[in-house]
Every structure is written in C-alpha cells, then in structure tokens.
C-alpha cells in the first residue's frame, strides 16, 4: 500500500506469493448465524431525488441474513465495526484478519422461517475442500448444505496472496434466493505488517427486488451515511453481488490504481472486490453512487460526510 504525497491515495492488489507458515500467526474465531429477518429496502418509503413514494408492499421482504454473534453464541451483535457507518445486518459481519492467520468461522443455521439449508463460501483464502461451503450433489459434503438447526465450522488460512477484501456468500442449495436476499459479506485481510486504516467503509452493490441497493438499502436517506474526519486514512471496501456490473463513484475524491492512474469511478462485477484508500482532506457532504444511470435512479446512491477535526 502506497500513499501518494498529494494525499490522493493508493489502491492495493493482492501479492502473488503463496502461503507460507508464519510462526506468529493468530487464530481468529468468528461466530456467524443465518437468521431470518424482515428487511425494508426503503425504510423511509421515499426516493429523495424524484420525490416518489413506495408502499411497504414493494419495499419490505422476509429474508435471511448473516448475523454476528459474540463468542460461543452468547448474544447477537451488530455486523459492522463501531464507527463503520452501517451498523445493520446487510452485509454480513466484516471478518478481519491478517496474512498468516488461521480463521475459524463457526456457522449456525437459525433459519426457522423458510427452513432452507445455508452455507458460507469464502473467496481469497486457503482451505480444504471440506471448508468450501459449496453444494454440488454427489460431490460436496455437509459444508455446502447446513440444514436448519445445524452448525459447522469453516477452517480457513489467510495466505500471502490473501491480502485485500474478499466476498463470502451462501453457496448452498438456496444460494440464488439467499444472495438476492442479502446473504453475503466481506473478509478484510491486512498484509502482515500493513497498517489498518482509520475508517473502513463497506459498500456492497446489488439488485434487490425492483431496487438497486447499497448494503441492502435504496435511495438517499436509506443507504448508509458514511463519515470520516479530515486527516484520517479512509478505506472503502467495494463489492458487487448478483448478476450485474456497477461503476462505483465518489464525488470530490480520487484514488490511484496500482499503475498510478488517478480515478474517481471504477467498475466492479459480481463477486469482484477492491479496496480504495485515501488520506481524507476534503471536508463537506459528498455523494457516492453507482454511475450506471438506471442503477443510480433505482436507488444506488448515498451520502459521505467529511468533518474537520475539532
Ligand atoms: Cu450499478
């Protein structure tokens, strides 16, 4: 990760080297359950730009999401990190680790509403086939087909080629409806000696029902209001799921691609991810949105607020 002298920031890509055992590696445990919820994509029932209203019948759906639990399932918790701007249940918990770490994701299927099987399938990390989490009849094991009421632990390792952000998602027999309903999240893996950003903002671009959503919400006033302070290092974790490509754009800011080209808009396709970083120096209220115009008008737009330090 480089930081440009101008304060315009750098994008990181994964390294090419393969995993090597690291003596100081940690084991990180996460507890994640599949839980049924009633989700409103447009809680204020309003498109702030066109001034249109939407009845709850169009915006509310019963669905299943990934929810973070405290160790040993003591209590349910919010998915986002404190100060992350989005404390809600879509996307699933941000799972943070470092290159060299072992990661154990303890998964429990609490889908008592639809009673569907679920699973977790992780990109970007190393694992045995028994932790793949994908369902193929005749080939896959229990990891790809965790029945309601059952639990399974996925065992992963963050290799030297795992630095970056990566998707995880349901890959069970209910994959299609589960992903459209919000069953996805991200792994965020730092290099062995990489400094964590001050602020980490998660943006997942997906179609949901008739809306184009960011973190499961549509239209300004419903999508996350992300915040940062001047002087902070800000990291955006950007991902798309579903069947469409999106072009992520932030107003008033630029970042550098790995070859040093400044950009303010970058394409992301299904299950692709990237992280963008900058050192914040632009106070004000800004927009972030997908620049596919039909998507922006169908809700894929939000607010980013930068304040000066007091
Ligand atoms: Cu889009």
């Amino acid at each position: 990760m480089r930081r440009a002298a101008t304060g315009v920031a750098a994008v990181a890509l994964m390294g090419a080297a393969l995993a090597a055992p690291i003596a100081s590696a940690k084991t990180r445990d996460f507890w994640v359950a599949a839980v049924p919820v009633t989700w409103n994509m447009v809680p204020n029932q309003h498109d702030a730009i066109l001034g249109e209203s939407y009845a709850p019948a169009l915006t509310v759906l019963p669905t299943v999401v990934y929810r973070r639990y405290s160790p040993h399932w003591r209590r349910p918790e919010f998915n986002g990190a404190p100060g992350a701007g989005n404390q809600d249940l879509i996307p699933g918990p941000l799972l943070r680790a470092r290159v060299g770490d072992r990661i154990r994701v303890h998964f429990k299927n609490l889908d008592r509403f639809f009673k569907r099987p679920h699973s977790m399938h992780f990109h970007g990390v190393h694992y045995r086939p028994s932790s793949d989490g994908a369902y193929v009849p005749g080939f896959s094991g229990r990891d790809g087909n965790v029945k309601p009421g059952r639990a399974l632990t996925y065992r992963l390792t963050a290799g030297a080629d795992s630095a970056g952000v990566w998707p995880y998602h349901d890959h069970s027999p209910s994959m299609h409806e589960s992903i459209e309903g919000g069953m996805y999240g991200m792994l965020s893996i730092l290099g062995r000696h990489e400094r964590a950003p001050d602020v980490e903002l998660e943006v997942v671009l997906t179609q949901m029902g008739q809306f184009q959503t960011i973190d499961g919400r549509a239209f300004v006033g419903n999508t996350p209001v992300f915040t940062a302070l001047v002087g902070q290092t800000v990291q955006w974790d950007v991902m798309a799921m579903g069947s469409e490509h999106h072009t992520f754009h932030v107003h008033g800011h630029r970042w550098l691609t790995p070859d040093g080209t400044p950009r303010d808009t970058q394409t992301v396709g299904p299950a692709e991810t990237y992280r963008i970083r900058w050192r914040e120096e632009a106070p004000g209220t800004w927009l972030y949105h997908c620049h596919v115009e039909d998507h922006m008008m169908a809700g894929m737009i939000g607010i980013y607020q930068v304040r000066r330090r007091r």
Side-chain angles (χ1 to χ4, degrees), residues 245-247 290 292 295 300:
H245 282 69
H246 305 281
T247 56
C290 174
V292 176
H295 295 181
M300 208 167 251

mmCIF file with all atom_site columns, all heavy atoms in Angstrom, residues 245-247 290 292 295 300, ligand 1:
data_model
loop_
_atom_site.group_PDB
_atom_site.id
_atom_site.type_symbol
_atom_site.label_atom_id
_atom_site.label_alt_id
_atom_site.label_comp_id
_atom_site.label_asym_id
_atom_site.label_entity_id
_atom_site.label_seq_id
_atom_site.pdbx_PDB_ins_code
_atom_site.Cartn_x
_atom_site.Cartn_y
_atom_site.Cartn_z
_atom_site.occupancy
_atom_site.B_iso_or_equiv
_atom_site.pdbx_formal_charge
_atom_site.auth_seq_id
_atom_site.auth_comp_id
_atom_site.auth_asym_id
_atom_site.auth_atom_id
_atom_site.pdbx_PDB_model_num
ATOM   1  N  N   . HIS A 1 245 ? -23.018 -5.612 -13.462 1.00 0.00 ? 245 HIS A N   1
ATOM   2  C  CA  . HIS A 1 245 ? -21.819 -4.813 -13.203 1.00 0.00 ? 245 HIS A CA  1
ATOM   3  C  C   . HIS A 1 245 ? -22.222 -3.419 -12.746 1.00 0.00 ? 245 HIS A C   1
ATOM   4  O  O   . HIS A 1 245 ? -23.272 -2.896 -13.139 1.00 0.00 ? 245 HIS A O   1
ATOM   5  C  CB  . HIS A 1 245 ? -20.959 -4.715 -14.462 1.00 0.00 ? 245 HIS A CB  1
ATOM   6  C  CG  . HIS A 1 245 ? -20.163 -5.948 -14.725 1.00 0.00 ? 245 HIS A CG  1
ATOM   7  N  ND1 . HIS A 1 245 ? -20.735 -7.135 -15.102 1.00 0.00 ? 245 HIS A ND1 1
ATOM   8  C  CD2 . HIS A 1 245 ? -18.826 -6.178 -14.633 1.00 0.00 ? 245 HIS A CD2 1
ATOM   9  C  CE1 . HIS A 1 245 ? -19.791 -8.051 -15.246 1.00 0.00 ? 245 HIS A CE1 1
ATOM   10 N  NE2 . HIS A 1 245 ? -18.619 -7.493 -14.969 1.00 0.00 ? 245 HIS A NE2 1
ATOM   11 N  N   . HIS A 1 246 ? -21.366 -2.832 -11.925 1.00 0.00 ? 246 HIS A N   1
ATOM   12 C  CA  . HIS A 1 246 ? -21.623 -1.490 -11.394 1.00 0.00 ? 246 HIS A CA  1
ATOM   13 C  C   . HIS A 1 246 ? -20.359 -0.644 -11.543 1.00 0.00 ? 246 HIS A C   1
ATOM   14 O  O   . HIS A 1 246 ? -19.259 -1.178 -11.670 1.00 0.00 ? 246 HIS A O   1
ATOM   15 C  CB  . HIS A 1 246 ? -22.021 -1.574 -9.921  1.00 0.00 ? 246 HIS A CB  1
ATOM   16 C  CG  . HIS A 1 246 ? -23.197 -2.482 -9.686  1.00 0.00 ? 246 HIS A CG  1
ATOM   17 N  ND1 . HIS A 1 246 ? -24.494 -2.095 -9.921  1.00 0.00 ? 246 HIS A ND1 1
ATOM   18 C  CD2 . HIS A 1 246 ? -23.261 -3.772 -9.282  1.00 0.00 ? 246 HIS A CD2 1
ATOM   19 C  CE1 . HIS A 1 246 ? -25.312 -3.108 -9.652  1.00 0.00 ? 246 HIS A CE1 1
ATOM   20 N  NE2 . HIS A 1 246 ? -24.591 -4.141 -9.262  1.00 0.00 ? 246 HIS A NE2 1
ATOM   21 N  N   . THR A 1 247 ? -20.535 0.669  -11.510 1.00 0.00 ? 247 THR A N   1
ATOM   22 C  CA  . THR A 1 247 ? -19.379 1.572  -11.586 1.00 0.00 ? 247 THR A CA  1
ATOM   23 C  C   . THR A 1 247 ? -19.414 2.477  -10.361 1.00 0.00 ? 247 THR A C   1
ATOM   24 O  O   . THR A 1 247 ? -20.191 3.426  -10.278 1.00 0.00 ? 247 THR A O   1
ATOM   25 C  CB  . THR A 1 247 ? -19.398 2.399  -12.881 1.00 0.00 ? 247 THR A CB  1
ATOM   26 O  OG1 . THR A 1 247 ? -20.639 3.110  -12.977 1.00 0.00 ? 247 THR A OG1 1
ATOM   27 C  CG2 . THR A 1 247 ? -19.244 1.498  -14.103 1.00 0.00 ? 247 THR A CG2 1
ATOM   28 N  N   . CYS A 1 290 ? -23.422 4.367  -7.705  1.00 0.00 ? 290 CYS A N   1
ATOM   29 C  CA  . CYS A 1 290 ? -23.133 3.626  -8.924  1.00 0.00 ? 290 CYS A CA  1
ATOM   30 C  C   . CYS A 1 290 ? -23.424 4.557  -10.083 1.00 0.00 ? 290 CYS A C   1
ATOM   31 O  O   . CYS A 1 290 ? -24.446 5.234  -10.110 1.00 0.00 ? 290 CYS A O   1
ATOM   32 C  CB  . CYS A 1 290 ? -24.003 2.374  -9.011  1.00 0.00 ? 290 CYS A CB  1
ATOM   33 S  SG  . CYS A 1 290 ? -23.796 1.521  -10.585 1.00 0.00 ? 290 CYS A SG  1
ATOM   34 N  N   . VAL A 1 292 ? -23.867 3.649  -13.242 1.00 0.00 ? 292 VAL A N   1
ATOM   35 C  CA  . VAL A 1 292 ? -24.820 3.122  -14.226 1.00 0.00 ? 292 VAL A CA  1
ATOM   36 C  C   . VAL A 1 292 ? -26.122 3.867  -13.948 1.00 0.00 ? 292 VAL A C   1
ATOM   37 O  O   . VAL A 1 292 ? -26.703 3.729  -12.871 1.00 0.00 ? 292 VAL A O   1
ATOM   38 C  CB  . VAL A 1 292 ? -25.010 1.599  -14.068 1.00 0.00 ? 292 VAL A CB  1
ATOM   39 C  CG1 . VAL A 1 292 ? -26.063 1.084  -15.036 1.00 0.00 ? 292 VAL A CG1 1
ATOM   40 C  CG2 . VAL A 1 292 ? -23.678 0.876  -14.264 1.00 0.00 ? 292 VAL A CG2 1
ATOM   41 N  N   . HIS A 1 295 ? -29.179 2.353  -12.501 1.00 0.00 ? 295 HIS A N   1
ATOM   42 C  CA  . HIS A 1 295 ? -28.986 1.857  -11.128 1.00 0.00 ? 295 HIS A CA  1
ATOM   43 C  C   . HIS A 1 295 ? -29.074 3.006  -10.129 1.00 0.00 ? 295 HIS A C   1
ATOM   44 O  O   . HIS A 1 295 ? -29.699 2.894  -9.072  1.00 0.00 ? 295 HIS A O   1
ATOM   45 C  CB  . HIS A 1 295 ? -27.616 1.172  -10.994 1.00 0.00 ? 295 HIS A CB  1
ATOM   46 C  CG  . HIS A 1 295 ? -27.495 -0.078 -11.819 1.00 0.00 ? 295 HIS A CG  1
ATOM   47 N  ND1 . HIS A 1 295 ? -26.361 -0.850 -11.816 1.00 0.00 ? 295 HIS A ND1 1
ATOM   48 C  CD2 . HIS A 1 295 ? -28.368 -0.697 -12.654 1.00 0.00 ? 295 HIS A CD2 1
ATOM   49 C  CE1 . HIS A 1 295 ? -26.534 -1.895 -12.625 1.00 0.00 ? 295 HIS A CE1 1
ATOM   50 N  NE2 . HIS A 1 295 ? -27.735 -1.802 -13.145 1.00 0.00 ? 295 HIS A NE2 1
ATOM   51 N  N   . MET A 1 300 ? -29.273 3.368  -6.087  1.00 0.00 ? 300 MET A N   1
ATOM   52 C  CA  . MET A 1 300 ? -27.886 3.064  -5.729  1.00 0.00 ? 300 MET A CA  1
ATOM   53 C  C   . MET A 1 300 ? -27.072 4.343  -5.550  1.00 0.00 ? 300 MET A C   1
ATOM   54 O  O   . MET A 1 300 ? -26.179 4.669  -6.329  1.00 0.00 ? 300 MET A O   1
ATOM   55 C  CB  . MET A 1 300 ? -27.295 2.187  -6.838  1.00 0.00 ? 300 MET A CB  1
ATOM   56 C  CG  . MET A 1 300 ? -26.205 1.257  -6.378  1.00 0.00 ? 300 MET A CG  1
ATOM   57 S  SD  . MET A 1 300 ? -25.851 0.039  -7.652  1.00 0.00 ? 300 MET A SD  1
ATOM   58 C  CE  . MET A 1 300 ? -26.526 -1.449 -6.934  1.00 0.00 ? 300 MET A CE  1
HETATM 59 CU CU1 . LIG B 2 .   ? -24.823 -0.291 -10.636 1.00 0.00 ? 1   LIG B CU1 1
#
